[in-house]
Amino acid sequence: MSPDLYCVMGNPVAHSRSPWIHARFAELTGQRLHYVKRQIELGGFAQALHAFAQEGGLGCNVTVPFKFEAAALATQTSERALLAQAANTLSFKEGEILADNTDGVGLVDDIEQGAGLDLQGRRLLLIGAGGAAAGVLGPLILAHPASVTVANRTLDKADSLVQCHAALAMLHNTELLAHDLQGLKGTFDVVINASSSSLGGAAVPVPGSTLKAGALAYDMMYGPAAQGFLTWAHEHGALPRDGLGMLVSQAAEAFLIWRGVRPPAQKVLAELRAVMAQ
Ligand code: ATR
């Protein structure tokens, strides 16, 4: 019998580390599966998804730019995917497409288990209010920080993201605020960069004075795209961390959804860092 089939769909997808990560998870947990990458033409996502399910695919990770379409195409959507209005993990079951979003739990897991920082009671600054920020805000609130400030170049977008999460924040006693990038008051225990400013070569869009001494400064990107932010964090005495751990942890959560087994994310992260350093 051929192994169970999974894939990652995106555009671009050539440099995706997901096949490597899921292959290691499978080896370490004794699961038999085959995980491939599929580059999807813009406008061709829905067709590719249905074709993959017809082929016998059991599940699919979704990356840029199809996460919103993935949530919209699903026949059942988890609460966290609904909040994010985006999905990165799909499962095909009895003709249904089940959508989930593991990005936020991946981030929280990497901060708490990887960086060893408990988010409960902390003051968080989330920079950006696009798709990446929307994908993580719900799970950040569920980690019970004292406050989350969403700071964005376009204040309206921060406002609407905050409004979507206001009820959840109230339920969990978390103060949730929207702000523009100027005049941020006070310091933060954790500053998370979910903006794409570095991709365009722009400087870090908030001042170093937002960082509390010894704060964790987290960029959700990794590789060269994260470098400017990590250098900035280091220069301001913060603890810099890139998003590679989030990548592995969101994959671990997807693997758990598909296979019912939690793989050792931190072990695979250490291996991946070693591979990437070669
Ligand atoms: P993604 O899916 O990566 O989040 P997106 O939805 O296009 O992409 O969102 C990009 C985010 O980065 C937005 O919050 C954007 O700010 P605006 O809402 O004001 O556009 C932010 N961003 C991009 N370039 C930026 C820059 N040079 N300075 C500050 N913020 C920037």
Side-chain angles (χ1 to χ4, degrees):
M1 220 171 86
S2 47
D4 293 344
L5 182 63
Y6 298 87
C7 78
V8 55
M9 290 189 183
N11 186 339
V13 84
H15 299 291
S16 172
R17 300 278 174 176
S18 293
W20 187 93
I21 294 168
H22 281 281
R24 274 308 280 146
F25 286 168
E27 275 166 14
L28 291 166
T29 57
Q31 297 279 309
R32 214 165 149 261
L33 60 85
H34 185 51
Y35 186 112
V36 296
K37 14 184 184 200
R38 294 273 165 99
Q39 169 97 12
I40 309 299
E41 292 309 312
L42 301 180
F45 179 70
Q47 197 188 356
L49 196 66
H50 289 116
F52 186 67
Q54 286 293 315
E55 245 177 80
L58 296 185
C60 165
N61 281 136
V62 183
T63 186
V64 175
F66 302 119
K67 291 184 186 185
F68 301 104
E69 200 179 342
L73 284 170
T75 54
Q76 285 184 47
T77 312
S78 73
E79 209 175 324
R80 53 198 186 188
L82 267 180
L83 263 179
Q85 295 180 0
N88 75 336
T89 302
L90 301 176
S91 310
F92 308 116
K93 246 183 214 159
E94 296 157 6
E96 303 270 344
I97 302 176
L98 317 181
D100 207 335
N101 193 319
T102 66
D103 284 332
V105 274
L107 172 66
V108 169
D109 181 73
D110 189 52
I111 291 175
E112 296 202 322
Q113 308 306 321
L117 186 141
D118 190 353
L119 287 169
Q120 184 161 8
R122 307 285 187 167
R123 280 171 52 81
L124 272 49
L125 176 62
L126 180 64
I127 308 168
V136 300
L137 183 54
L140 283 173
I141 292 168
L142 291 176
H144 299 107
S147 68
V148 184
T149 301
V150 179
N152 196 45
R153 181 174 62 180
T154 312
L155 178 60
D156 278 1
K157 277 169 74 180
D159 266 331
S160 24
L161 191 57
V162 160
Q163 271 170 32
C164 294
H165 290 75
L168 185 73
M170 196 177 285
L171 196 67
H172 291 275
N173 254 334
T174 293
E175 186 184 21
L176 185 58
L177 304 161
H179 211 286
D180 55 23
L181 296 172
Q182 279 80 45
L184 283 160
K185 298 228 165 44
T187 58
F188 297 86
D189 302 297
V190 185
V191 174
I192 300 166
N193 186 20
S195 84
S196 56
S197 60
S198 58
L199 289 180
V204 176
V206 297
S209 56
T210 54
L211 292 161
K212 192 172 168 180
L216 176 69
Y218 197 106
D219 198 317
M220 285 170 48
M221 297 193 192
Y222 58 89
Q227 206 46 57
F229 182 85
L230 300 181
T231 304
W232 169 86
H234 184 71
E235 283 170 2
H236 289 89
L239 178 72
R241 191 168 178 89
D242 69 7
L244 198 65
M246 174 179 168
L247 175 75
V248 175
S249 289
Q250 64 75 28
E253 190 75 15
F255 192 92
L256 173 67
I257 290 168
W258 291 331
R259 311 300 297 182
V261 183
R262 183 175 287 286
Q266 294 308 317
K267 177 179 167 57
V268 172
L269 173 58
E271 291 177 1
L272 181 57
R273 283 207 193 278
V275 167
M276 287 177 70
Q278 279 168 12

